[in-house]
Amino acid sequence: MSTLSSVINRFVEYYAGLDNQPPSALTTLYHPDAQLIDPFGEHRGLVAIQRYFTRLLVNVQHCRFSIDVPVCEGERYAVSWTMHWSHPRISAGKALALGGCSMVEVQDNLIIRQRDYYDAGEMIYEHLPLLSWAIRGVKRRVRS
């Protein structure tokens, strides 16, 4: 198994059961100097990434990813995924799904840089009563 295959397998296993993973498990996936960027911010270093995941998952009822086959080149891969999640304060806790993708760079058999792309509006804002009305209105106007 190649180094990249090993990292991809660990990535898939970790995110497939994200809500059951302790922050300490990130040490087997991310480089100490890793950078994680998503629509909500940039997190530099393993400690910052662990802190971010801890805050994200504290009130989540469940959060798991189904991950498609990655596209690989050298020490990089791109993967599309669907996040299946629920939070008691968003959409009354009902199960939600969100599509996205990650661009990942590997160094020393660990992730050194990950950039996640997804629609933060679709993830959160469209499920909040007042904001959802405004966002749906904007989307209708753009489609017209």
Side-chain angles (χ1 to χ4, degrees):
M1 174 185 306
S2 75
T3 299
L4 189 57
S5 296
S6 171
V7 173
I8 292 169
N9 287 338
R10 290 193 319 268
F11 180 91
V12 170
E13 288 174 16
Y14 182 83
Y15 282 94
L18 182 61
D19 55 357
N20 289 322
Q21 301 287 354
S24 60
L26 291 167
T27 61
T28 66
L29 188 58
Y30 290 92
H31 191 280
D33 298 322
Q35 175 186 36
L36 173 67
I37 303 167
D38 70 7
F40 294 105
E42 182 176 340
H43 314 280
R44 290 185 174 272
L46 179 59
V47 172
I49 293 169
Q50 288 173 314
R51 197 174 318 120
Y52 179 57
F53 275 66
T54 299
R55 284 192 317 263
L56 278 179
L57 297 171
V58 70
N59 292 316
V60 169
Q61 291 172 317
H62 79 273
C63 184
R64 294 171 186 265
F65 287 72
S66 31
I67 298 174
D68 298 324
V69 176
V71 176
C72 305
E73 181 183 295
E75 291 296 306
R76 298 181 303 179
Y77 65 93
V79 62
S80 59
W81 43 259
T82 303
M83 179 174 70
H84 306 276
W85 66 291
S86 68
H87 189 287
R89 291 184 282 179
I90 298 174
S91 263
K94 78 175 189 177
L96 300 168
L98 175 72
C101 69
S102 298
M103 304 295 291
V104 182
E105 295 176 29
V106 175
Q107 177 182 310
D108 301 328
N109 200 27
L110 295 167
I111 295 171
I112 189 72
R113 186 174 193 277
Q114 178 177 331
R115 176 99 191 232
D116 292 340
Y117 297 91
Y118 56 88
D119 183 343
E122 180 183 348
M123 179 182 187
I124 295 177
Y125 310 129
E126 290 182 23
H127 301 287
L128 301 175
L130 195 55
L131 287 177
S132 66
W133 175 82
I135 292 169
R136 280 193 307 270
V138 168
K139 284 185 171 184
R140 273 193 306 272
R141 281 190 290 261
V142 169
R143 285 191 298 257
S144 303

